[in-house]
Amino acid sequence: MRIIRVKDYQQMSRDAANIISAQVILKPDSVLGLATGSSPIGAYKQLIEWYNKGDLNFEKVRSVNLDEYAGLTADHDQSYHYFMHQNFFDHINIAPQNIHIPDGCAADMEAECARYDATIAALGGIDLQLLGLGVNGHIGFNEPSDVFAKGTHTVKLTDSTRIANQRFFQSLDEVPSGAITMGIFDIIQAQRVLVIASGENKAQAIKKAFFGPVTPQVPASILQFHKDCTLVADEAALSLI
Ligand code: GLP
């Protein structure tokens, strides 16, 4: 476990973008596991800037997103499909056929979960997985639980997660109550994991996840066992350790 302590969100974003761009330069057809939420927006912006300057090429990159809300169509402005296009994909030269995001509206969710895991396997697994951290220590939408979920699965979101994500919706009622997410085993099979966290509201989660016992009650704690996990976090997020 490598911890890179940075001053603020901006520096976190630059460092994360540097790590992702190094990955893409070293392996142009990398499989990037991508995340949504406020945490990665700055890193995506930085990557777009470097792409525009001609320093990066995403032509051969493949991507697999962590998760999607259940019941939100790809064109819903709070769906993770929409988020990824708006904040990243529409501004770089990634090939549309190389973009993979779970379908939160599939008629048969069980089949969709199996399809998504088969997609990850067919790509040869994830080279670099980018992760944000939920305030309750969740990764993707793997909520605190009695067991570590293995593969892609559907989940019922906790109140804490729905409240944390309410800021993107008009009201709490509009926040979906379920989601589809890669499992913990999918995530930890990635060759490298990059976790980013900024702000005081992540301090408790960081303390528990990286300095507490490894337990499915704090899903991110499993990352302590990963052979190549880097946490880039700012001073506020690291204030309790
Ligand atoms: C959501 C996403 C997670 C993300 C988390 C933290 O629940 N499913 O992938 O890491 O929120 O989001 P933020 O970065 O906005 O704090």
Side-chain angles (χ1 to χ4, degrees), residues 5 34 56 59 74 81 89 138 179 185 192 198 203 215 217 237:
R5 187 189 183 95
L34 297 178
L56 271 177
E59 203 180 353
H81 277 77
F89 297 147
H138 75 233
F185 191 60
R192 303 167 74 196
S198 164
T215 161
Q217 293 300 337

Side-chain angles (χ1 to χ4, degrees), residues 1-4 19 192-196 228-232:
M1 178 85 209
R2 212 177 280 116
I3 299 181
I4 301 178
I19 293 168
R192 303 167 74 196
V193 176
L194 170 60
V195 188
I196 51 176
D228 188 349
C229 177
T230 303
L231 166 67
V232 181

Side-chain angles (χ1 to χ4, degrees), residues 9 34-41 66-69 80 83 130-136 138-143 157 161-162 164-165 167-168 179 181 196-198 201-202:
Y9 180 87
L34 297 178
T36 54
S38 317
S39 305
I41 292 180
L66 277 169
D67 48 10
E68 178 56 287
Y69 284 116
Y80 287 167
F83 174 102
L130 175 64
L131 293 175
L133 198 58
V135 286
N136 59 3
H138 75 233
I139 46 178
F141 268 134
N142 289 276
E143 295 280 35
L157 299 179
T161 297
R162 292 185 66 238
N165 291 357
R167 66 192 192 280
F168 300 113
T181 181
I196 51 176
S198 164
N201 67 330
K202 298 292 169 75

Side-chain angles (χ1 to χ4, degrees), residues 4-208:
I4 301 178
R5 187 189 183 95
V6 295
K7 195 169 154 278
D8 52 19
Y9 180 87
Q10 206 187 342
Q11 193 57 45
M12 175 196 79
S13 302
R14 283 181 73 84
D15 280 17
N18 266 305
I19 293 168
I20 297 166
S21 60
Q23 174 70 42
V24 172
I25 290 166
L26 289 170
K27 188 180 177 205
D29 64 346
S30 285
V31 177
L32 300 181
L34 297 178
T36 54
S38 317
S39 305
I41 292 180
Y44 293 150
K45 267 201 187 121
Q46 183 64 77
L47 290 169
I48 293 165
E49 211 178 298
W50 288 334
Y51 163 73
N52 285 331
K53 278 172 73 185
D55 290 345
L56 271 177
N57 185 359
F58 294 91
E59 203 180 353
K60 295 186 182 146
V61 164
R62 284 87 49 81
S63 74
V64 279
N65 259 81
L66 277 169
D67 48 10
E68 178 56 287
Y69 284 116
L72 296 194
T73 52
D75 59 354
H76 187 290
D77 65 1
Q78 290 310 327
S79 75
Y80 287 167
H81 277 77
Y82 191 92
F83 174 102
M84 287 308 300
H85 282 275
Q86 195 80 350
N87 289 294
F88 196 34
F89 297 147
D90 288 355
H91 310 283
I92 57 169
N93 64 337
I94 189 167
Q97 69 272 19
N98 288 341
I99 295 172
H100 305 281
I101 306 177
D103 180 359
C105 289
D108 181 345
M109 285 305 255
E110 213 173 299
E112 175 58 10
C113 292
R115 185 198 66 83
Y116 204 65
D117 280 339
T119 299
I120 298 170
L123 291 170
I126 299 165
D127 290 301
L128 171 65
Q129 177 64 56
L130 175 64
L131 293 175
L133 198 58
V135 286
N136 59 3
H138 75 233
I139 46 178
F141 268 134
N142 289 276
E143 295 280 35
S145 156
D146 292 339
V147 290
F148 287 114
K150 290 183 193 137
T152 301
H153 59 290
T154 54
V155 284
K156 187 177 174 323
L157 299 179
T158 61
D159 290 344
S160 125
T161 297
R162 292 185 66 238
I163 291 166
N165 291 357
Q166 183 189 341
R167 66 192 192 280
F168 300 113
F169 294 82
Q170 306 281 2
S171 69
L172 187 57
D173 284 349
E174 282 183 29
V175 184
S177 53
I180 174 170
T181 181
M182 268 186 209
I184 293 292
F185 191 60
D186 291 323
I187 294 171
I188 61 163
Q189 288 216 97
Q191 296 298 321
R192 303 167 74 196
V193 176
L194 170 60
V195 188
I196 51 176
S198 164
E200 226 179 300
N201 67 330
K202 298 292 169 75
Q204 196 59 248
I206 293 220
K207 187 179 172 194
K208 284 190 184 162

